[in-house]
Amino acid sequence: MHFIIILLLYVIGILINLVNSERYIVGEGYGWGPAPYPTYYQDWATTVKLKPGDQLEFRFQKPEDLLEIGKYNYYACNSNTLSRQYKDSPAIAFMLVPGDYYFKSSNNTNCINGQKLYVNVAAPIEDEADDKI
């Protein structure tokens, strides 16, 4: 019974985060494609502060696609181990929990030339008023 109550509270917490979430279009008007310069997507990432529940929207034209990968694959620009592949645009990646998220094109040459994105989803900050209660 306690497990069900804890699970229910967890689900309610996720739903509240989704209601308060924001959707960010990766690359703004440029979209997701071969990077115009090597740090384009990382420069864009510095302009957003992601929190749990936020969403990243990747807009691309075929034959482009999107891979969610791990840290090693991000830096090596390979696709040996992938978490998820998105083939249709727009692709929506949900940032449900705090942590690091890594994305790249399945075209390794495009990745080497900058079509990759690393973002960090920050843990929620406790309200100081809650600490005083």
Side-chain angles (χ1 to χ4, degrees):
M1 180 67 170
H2 292 289
F3 175 75
I4 294 172
I5 292 171
I6 291 171
L7 181 62
L8 182 60
L9 290 174
Y10 180 75
V11 170
I12 290 171
I14 289 174
L15 292 174
I16 289 171
N17 278 339
L18 289 176
V19 168
N20 293 322
S21 71
E22 295 185 49
R23 181 177 287 186
Y24 297 93
I25 299 171
V26 174
E28 299 294 329
Y30 184 77
W32 180 249
Y37 57 90
T39 60
Y40 179 77
Y41 291 106
Q42 283 318 119
D43 292 348
W44 174 84
T46 63
T47 67
V48 298
K49 297 227 183 270
L50 297 169
K51 63 188 181 310
D54 284 348
Q55 305 160 20
L56 294 178
E57 180 176 326
F58 293 81
R59 296 178 179 174
F60 51 86
Q61 301 289 322
K62 297 263 183 198
E64 288 297 329
D65 64 357
L66 173 69
L67 304 178
E68 186 173 345
I69 55 174
K71 181 178 182 178
Y72 172 78
N73 290 308
Y74 173 82
Y75 288 105
C77 274
N78 68 45
S79 309
N80 293 341
T81 308
L82 59 101
S83 300
R84 184 165 182 194
Q85 182 175 20
Y86 302 83
K87 292 183 177 184
D88 297 316
S89 178
I92 309 299
F94 293 90
M95 313 285 101
L96 294 178
V97 297
D100 296 332
Y101 293 82
Y102 301 89
F103 302 92
K104 71 179 265 320
S105 166
S106 64
N107 181 320
N108 291 338
T109 301
N110 286 355
C111 178
I112 291 166
N113 291 325
Q115 190 181 0
K116 59 184 183 176
L117 175 68
Y118 155 73
V119 294
N120 177 268
V121 176
I125 298 173
E126 296 288 330
D127 188 5
E128 288 183 25
D130 291 343
D131 294 338
K132 296 177 183 177
I133 294 177

